[in-house]
Amino acid sequence: MRVSRLLLVTLRDDPAEAEIISHKLLLRAGFIRRVGSGIYAYLPLLWRVLQKISAIVREEVNAVGGLETLLPQLQPAELWERSGRWAGYTAGEGIMFHLLDRQERAFGLGPTHEEVITTIAADLLRSYRQLPVCLYQIQTKFRDEIRPRFGLMRGREFIMKDAYSFHADEEDLRRTYQDFDGAYRRIFSRCGLRAVAVEADSGAIGGSASQEFMVTAEAGEDLILASPDGRYAANQERATSRAGAAVPLPAGPFRVLATPGQSTIQGLCSAHGFDPSQIVKVLLLVARFADGPDQPLLISLRGDQQLNDVKLANVLTARLGGERGTLLEVEPINPEQVQRQGLAPLPFGYLGPQLEDAVLAGARDWSTHFLRLADATAAELERFVCGANGGEAHRVGVSWSDLGLKPEALDLRAAQPGDRCLHDVSQVLVASRGIEVGHIFQLGRKYSEALGARFTNEAGQEEALWMGCYGIGVSRLAQAAVEQHHDANGLIWPVAIAPFELIIVIANGQEAAQVALAEQLYGDLQAAGVDVLLDDRSERAGVKFKDADLIGIPWRLVVGRGAAGGTVELVERAGGAKQELPAAELAATLVPLLLAQRRGLALDLPAQGEGA
Ligand code: ATP
Ligand code: MG
């Protein structure tokens, strides 16, 4: 490809719409253009990157037995009704774009494909003899994200590879899950990414075990907590740990302490010398479900701990999901909402776990009993400080039995960096940030049972299929690569996913010898299978070098003054190392190196003259 024909439109300044470096660079270097919030055009340069990533994904997924297919993006609501996910994906904070056709039938635009694939499996799979089977596709997904941002990182339309496997038993599912774990590690490493596997929450997809693959980067939206011994790593949404011990409350009789204006943990502690770990704080939230009344929640946490929303949502679904359907959202209760329910004001800032259900009597849309949940760190305190539920006062030195309560100890707290690990208390969790590029799940039989995907086993009995699913954010991965590989001058693509592997720059387009040698090398390298770009524009050399750096082509071959003597300059984009080479040697030295790098192998360029 010639740069003059490439429609290369670069921007000199950082675009105002971008916050993180990878987003800025992709816009500046002409890889993407924004069409709407979370909606991007993949310009020809990026499309080449996406094709290369897809090719690597295909190779590795095929190698573990995947069969490529393409499923519809327009999905009948009925399938989602049957799996029980329609309400959760369309109401409240649901992320599925949905519409009615001319006959008023409802459809969703596919955010994921469990329903569709399971329906097809129900139709095609009959016998254990057909198993295991694994289907996958690389396709655009639609999600009406609450906060689309960072360009391709969180788009509302993005490219995903999603695979689904079907098995006769759980053991076989585990094997395929392991195979995908290996395939994913190879995919990310071949794409030149430093990625780590972490334990993950299964979220709205469901199932038992799940693992995410994170590209480590400061701009990542996920917090990873890991032990230095390498034995534990988890997304904070999921992470467990041992909380630090509470500071014991000094002995003394139970008392009610006037605490005017001390409605925060910090205010209370600094006024009376308490440690936050001596306090039980109470959070009032309300959970909305697809069916039934909204559920007020009274959550007790130790004063130094934070609530983990994901763990809470999982507990709520387990406790109430059967009866009230999908959990739609959970939000804090504020004084205005209390008023709207027609209730008397609540003592915010002075709440204690013993707040009586009577305060909910007569509520308009709320259930009139609290669901009371306590984190283990709070439930395990013997004596503590808590709000007195009125009169700007706290109770000091109370126990749970004084309050007439017997809380069950749940894990609702967010693990924090610095916490001790459960597997080894000498290990302390360390935090880093990550971009989730892949997620693998053991789904079990959730979808096959709901959608009637059954097979006849070896014993001749009918049972539901075991399922796994495996996603990779292909477009997010492309941007994550930029987040890990760039410098002040622009992008630095790993060879395996670079839009072009090498760019030939003619230093002076007026010099016939330079033009002739560049054209000859361009032809030779193309013939040798190198993905080569020729900068044939009549710009100054400096401008061409800047553009080559900005778009991040990993190797640059400069045909300049040495052309008359048959030498060229080879510059590596990463690090900028330069060397003069006889043009005649390129076929023997550079070509094998590029082909190896394309496979994700790191080879060194032989020192000058050594390779031939
Ligand atoms: P996230 O937690 O980032 O919202 P998710 O857990 O909902 O992602 P999955 O359902 O596991 O995502 O989807 C599989 C993969 O698709 C993710 O690992 C991620 O790489 C990619 N992905 C998900 N949502 C987006 C998005 N809005 N834009 C780009 N890629 C995405
Ligand atoms: Mg995920």
Side-chain angles (χ1 to χ4, degrees):
M1 173 66 69
R2 291 167 190 272
V3 176
S4 59
R5 307 308 314 143
L6 191 60
L7 187 67
L8 182 65
V9 181
T10 58
L11 308 174
R12 195 173 329 176
D13 299 313
D14 276 343
E17 69 182 83
E19 292 168 62
I20 62 172
I21 187 71
S22 53
H23 186 195
K24 288 180 188 168
L25 286 174
L26 287 176
L27 283 164
R28 272 190 56 204
F31 283 73
I32 56 174
R33 279 292 182 276
R34 180 181 183 274
V35 174
S37 166
I39 307 174
Y40 287 85
Y42 310 134
L43 299 180
L45 280 174
L46 185 78
W47 186 240
R48 296 180 69 95
V49 173
L50 295 173
Q51 302 271 39
K52 290 195 177 179
I53 296 171
S54 301
I56 293 172
V57 168
R58 275 194 184 95
E59 247 182 62
E60 297 295 343
V61 175
N62 290 345
V64 295
L67 297 168
E68 190 166 0
T69 184
L70 191 59
L71 302 170
Q73 284 155 309
L74 209 46
Q75 307 188 3
E78 187 219 322
L79 299 184
W80 289 72
E81 300 278 8
R82 285 173 66 198
S83 69
R85 292 206 296 180
W86 179 256
Y89 268 81
T90 55
E93 294 180 353
I95 50 146
M96 182 153 61
F97 286 103
H98 50 107
L99 57 124
L100 295 177
D101 71 4
R102 63 181 76 242
Q103 271 119 23
E104 306 268 298
R105 283 182 298 231
F107 290 84
L109 284 183
T112 178
H113 279 73
E114 284 79 16
E115 281 76 1
V116 169
I117 197 81
T118 311
T119 307
I120 290 169
D123 183 10
L124 298 179
L125 300 176
R126 289 290 146 86
S127 156
Y128 71 94
R129 287 194 201 85
Q130 295 168 288
L131 302 174
V133 62
C134 175
L135 294 162
Y136 76 97
Q137 58 175 348
I138 298 177
Q139 182 208 47
T140 295
K141 293 279 186 274
F142 298 90
R143 293 187 180 181
D144 194 0
E145 296 280 358
I146 293 163
R147 219 173 299 116
R149 56 181 190 160
F150 301 158
L152 307 182
M153 291 287 191
R154 188 167 294 286
R156 295 199 298 163
E157 188 184 311
F158 60 95
I159 300 178
M160 195 200 287
K161 183 284 296 175
D162 46 329
Y164 305 87
S165 66
F166 298 89
H167 309 268
D169 55 50
E170 193 171 14
E171 186 52 40
D172 196 50
L173 163 59
R174 288 213 192 96
R175 259 194 304 274
T176 296
Y177 181 81
Q178 280 313 317
D179 288 348
F180 266 90
D181 175 83
Y184 274 37
R185 289 168 200 265
R186 288 189 293 279
I187 289 168
F188 301 129
S189 123
R190 284 182 60 186
C191 289
L193 292 171
R194 292 182 300 279
V196 293
V198 306
E199 276 183 21
D201 180 72
S202 296
I205 305 285
S208 52
S210 97
Q211 182 175 286
E212 287 167 342
F213 292 83
M214 297 281 184
V215 166
T216 46
E218 266 312 303
E221 291 188 279
D222 287 284
L223 188 73
I224 303 168
L225 295 173
S227 65
D229 65 4
R231 286 172 56 203
Y232 183 75
N235 190 317
Q236 192 191 30
E237 290 177 353
R238 155 90 185 190
T240 52
S241 67
R242 182 183 289 229
V247 177
L249 200 61
F254 160 76
R255 64 199 160 114
V256 174
L257 181 67
T259 52
Q262 294 150 23
S263 59
T264 62
I265 302 267
Q266 210 193 353
L268 189 63
C269 289
S270 55
H272 303 281
F274 296 130
D275 184 86
S277 67
Q278 297 168 331
I279 298 171
V280 169
K281 67 178 169 190
V282 162
L283 307 179
L284 287 190
L285 308 169
V286 60
R288 286 211 300 123
F289 287 85
D291 310 309
D294 294 350
Q295 178 60 55
L297 311 174
L298 189 155
I299 306 211
S300 299
L301 277 177
R302 204 172 78 185
D304 60 336
Q305 302 298 316
Q306 303 301 322
L307 179 67
N308 178 321
D309 300 336
V310 174
K311 290 182 183 176
L312 173 65
N314 289 340
V315 169
L316 293 175
T317 299
R319 297 270 171 113
L320 295 174
E323 166 199 331
R324 303 208 194 155
T326 313
L327 174 66
L328 300 179
E329 74 186 332
V330 178
E331 57 173 1
I333 292 179
N334 59 37
E336 295 76 60
Q337 285 169 320
V338 174
Q339 201 178 13
R340 249 183 283 132
Q341 292 298 317
L343 303 176
L346 297 179
F348 286 107
Y350 297 90
L351 295 166
Q354 71 287 15
L355 184 68
E356 288 178 3
D357 285 346
V359 302
L360 298 175
R364 289 209 177 99
D365 332 286
W366 291 353
S367 150
T368 51
H369 296 278
F370 284 113
L371 175 63
R372 292 165 196 268
L373 301 172
D375 181 65
T377 51
E380 283 158 7
L381 287 176
E382 278 172 19
R383 292 171 63 254
F384 51 87
V385 178
C386 68
N389 288 326
E392 295 203 296
H394 282 82
R395 299 183 180 206
V396 179
V398 277
S399 67
W400 288 102
S401 63
D402 294 340
L403 299 177
L405 296 167
K406 232 195 253 168
E408 179 192 346
L410 298 170
D411 180 16
L412 295 173
R413 58 182 277 278
Q416 300 288 355
D419 286 350
R420 305 214 160 262
C421 295
L422 297 181
H423 75 274
D424 176 353
V425 290
S426 73
Q427 293 285 314
V428 168
L429 289 177
V430 179
S432 59
R433 300 212 70 90
I435 300 164
E436 180 194 328
V437 287
H439 197 165
I440 58 176
F441 301 78
Q442 289 179 33
L443 293 174
R445 307 160 107 168
K446 169 175 165 175
Y447 295 93
S448 54
E449 272 165 3
L451 292 151
R454 308 174 69 75
F455 74 106
T456 308
N457 65 21
E458 246 182 303
Q461 276 143 0
E462 273 229 331
E463 58 173 306
L465 289 157
W466 290 85
M467 286 178 62
C469 82
Y470 319 88
I472 288 185
V474 171
S475 47
R476 181 185 283 183
L477 190 161
Q479 189 172 327
V482 178
E483 203 56 45
Q484 271 189 350
H485 301 285
H486 65 267
D487 66 12
N489 298 325
L491 304 159
I492 307 176
W493 291 104
V495 170
I497 62 170
F500 294 92
E501 295 161 333
L502 177 132
I503 182 167
I504 300 173
V505 179
I506 306 172
N508 182 349
Q510 309 296 321
E511 290 281 338
Q514 293 185 18
V515 175
L517 181 58
E519 290 285 350
Q520 183 210 322
L521 289 173
Y522 178 52
D524 291 351
L525 289 168
Q526 266 183 331
V530 175
D531 230 344
V532 53
L533 194 58
L534 173 68
D535 197 343
D536 57 340
R537 295 174 300 168
S538 56
E539 300 283 354
R540 282 181 296 113
V543 170
K544 297 196 231 186
F545 294 164
K546 268 208 154 67
D547 280 345
D549 281 357
L550 178 61
I551 63 178
I553 308 304
W555 293 95
R556 179 170 91 207
L557 202 57
V558 185
V559 182
R561 287 204 194 97
T567 64
V568 291
E569 185 188 51
L570 182 66
V571 186
E572 190 170 6
R573 174 68 183 85
K578 294 180 183 175
Q579 57 176 302
E580 288 282 325
L581 283 174
E585 274 179 23
L586 288 176
T589 55
L590 182 63
V591 172
L593 168 81
L594 280 178
L595 299 186
Q597 287 189 339
R598 183 189 291 175
R599 297 287 311 166
L601 304 173
L603 288 189
D604 283 332
L605 191 66
Q608 195 176 332
E610 202 181 276

